Amino acid sequence: MLGLLNINKPSGITSHDVVNVVRRITGVRQVGHTGTLDPLATGVLIVLIGPATRLARYLSGVDKTYSAVVRLGETTSTYDAEGEVLLRRPVTVGRAEIEVALEAYRGPLLQTPPMVSALKVGGKPLYKLARKGQEVERQPRQVTIHALTLEAWMPPELTLTVTCSAGTYIRSLAHDLGEQLGCGAHLVALTRTATGRFDLAESVTLEQLRALAEVDRLTEVLLPPDVAVVTLPGVTLTPEMERAVRYGQSIELPDAPIAAEVRAHDADGSLVALLIPAEDGRWRPTLVLPAPS
């Protein structure tokens, strides 16, 4: 198998757990994911199958969209509902105050990752250090929130739609918003509704995937590897070019686009390789996918 799956991750399991389930369902060992979701979170998790795992870097940096439910009045140790409540404060703000506060989080901003996260410091994930009761200094990171909308306000909970750059922590956004409002807050529910061009409406659950596997219909939801690099310019190879590329040889590309990298397809439109310019004016492959069986 070769391609991508748009999985609707359920709550209560890790992204790595999803990878293990997909391995068992598909019978393929080479499986990976892009864009970790916390156990509490649900929604779009892109899983790569077979040699398509080599395309992960083209998806890890894309923008994400989330629907987040935030509860005001309680601060927790993990910034979400899975942590211990550290402080309770009265909620005296209304919708107007919340709208004003949200303005500070639109656009570029510096965000400090929470201790309970998969981010590594000194080679160790922060959440493992947090489990030992350790807290280390975390450097703020620049992220961008492209759009932030207050969808509902039912005290003490509010629902946000957030479109943001990769690496944005919605838990930290909830925590910081609560501190700004003076009452504290934590995240109680999170659904990733989109990862780049991949939408929740087009995703499949693990139960659906298992049912398709039982009747040998997994290919119906397996996306071609080309969708991972669709933003790159594309070229079509002749059979002679394809043969050379599959042997790792550089080729000439007449009328080649002006680009740092291109995706090369065979005559049937299947992705063969990714090519970059070589010093001699030719194009050399940096990644070659196996020929369709």
Side-chain angles (χ1 to χ4, degrees):
M1 294 184 69
L2 170 64
L4 294 78
L5 293 170
N6 179 356
I7 299 294
N8 182 354
K9 176 194 167 297
S11 182
I13 64 174
T14 67
S15 298
H16 188 66
D17 291 336
V18 173
V19 167
N20 286 334
V21 172
V22 172
R23 283 175 178 153
R24 291 194 293 270
I25 292 174
T26 62
V28 177
R29 180 64 188 169
Q30 191 178 9
V31 178
H33 72 80
T34 66
T36 301
L37 279 173
D38 292 333
L40 174 74
T42 65
V44 175
L45 182 69
I46 303 304
V47 175
L48 304 103
I49 310 293
T53 53
R54 298 165 64 192
L55 299 171
R57 65 187 178 95
Y58 295 93
L59 296 172
S60 59
V62 300
D63 292 342
K64 315 288 196 303
T65 300
Y66 297 91
S67 176
V69 179
V70 178
R71 181 173 297 158
L72 301 184
E74 294 179 344
T75 302
T76 73
S77 58
T78 58
Y79 299 178
D80 66 14
E82 295 190 324
E84 176 188 358
V85 176
L86 301 177
L87 183 63
R88 289 186 172 91
R89 286 174 276 182
V91 179
T92 59
V93 298
R95 187 180 186 110
E97 291 90 343
I98 295 170
E99 290 280 15
V100 171
L102 289 175
E103 186 57 38
Y105 299 95
R106 296 186 177 104
L109 57 93
L110 289 175
Q111 187 181 69
T112 301
M115 267 305 298
V116 183
S117 68
L119 183 68
K120 291 184 178 180
V121 173
K124 295 182 179 180
L126 286 174
Y127 70 86
K128 290 189 176 180
L129 298 176
R131 287 174 183 170
K132 298 177 181 179
Q134 301 177 25
E135 181 159 349
V136 298
E137 183 179 356
R138 289 97 68 202
Q139 294 299 320
R141 304 193 304 175
Q142 175 126 359
V143 300
T144 301
I145 296 182
H146 304 291
L148 179 59
T149 305
L150 177 60
E151 301 290 353
W153 168 232
M154 299 180 66
E157 292 185 352
L158 56 95
T159 302
L160 302 171
T161 295
V162 188
T163 298
C164 55
S165 62
T168 303
Y169 287 95
I170 308 301
R171 281 182 295 156
S172 291
L173 172 63
H175 174 82
D176 294 345
L177 177 63
E179 293 306 300
Q180 182 172 346
L181 291 171
C183 57
H186 67 276
L187 188 68
V188 294
L190 182 68
T191 298
R192 184 189 286 162
T193 58
T195 291
R197 64 175 296 274
F198 302 97
D199 192 82
L200 182 61
E202 301 166 347
S203 65
V204 294
T205 66
L206 293 175
E207 291 75 16
Q208 290 171 326
L209 194 69
R210 190 174 290 108
L212 287 169
E214 290 174 354
V215 292
D216 198 24
R217 291 169 51 191
L218 280 177
T219 55
E220 293 182 11
V221 294
L222 187 68
L223 303 172
D226 188 58
V227 300
V229 289
V230 71
T231 57
L232 297 178
V235 297
T236 300
L237 304 177
T238 65
E240 293 76 18
M241 291 177 178
E242 181 184 351
R243 191 176 306 110
V245 166
R246 291 200 181 280
Y247 279 103
Q249 300 170 2
S250 297
I251 61 171
E252 292 183 358
L253 278 180
D255 302 320
I258 300 175
E261 191 171 23
V262 300
R263 52 194 168 100
H265 305 88
D266 62 18
D268 295 326
S270 296
L271 184 65
V272 173
L274 300 181
L275 310 176
I276 62 172
E279 294 180 359
D280 59 2
R282 295 162 69 88
W283 290 74
R284 66 179 180 86
T286 58
L287 183 154
V288 180
L289 294 175
S293 57

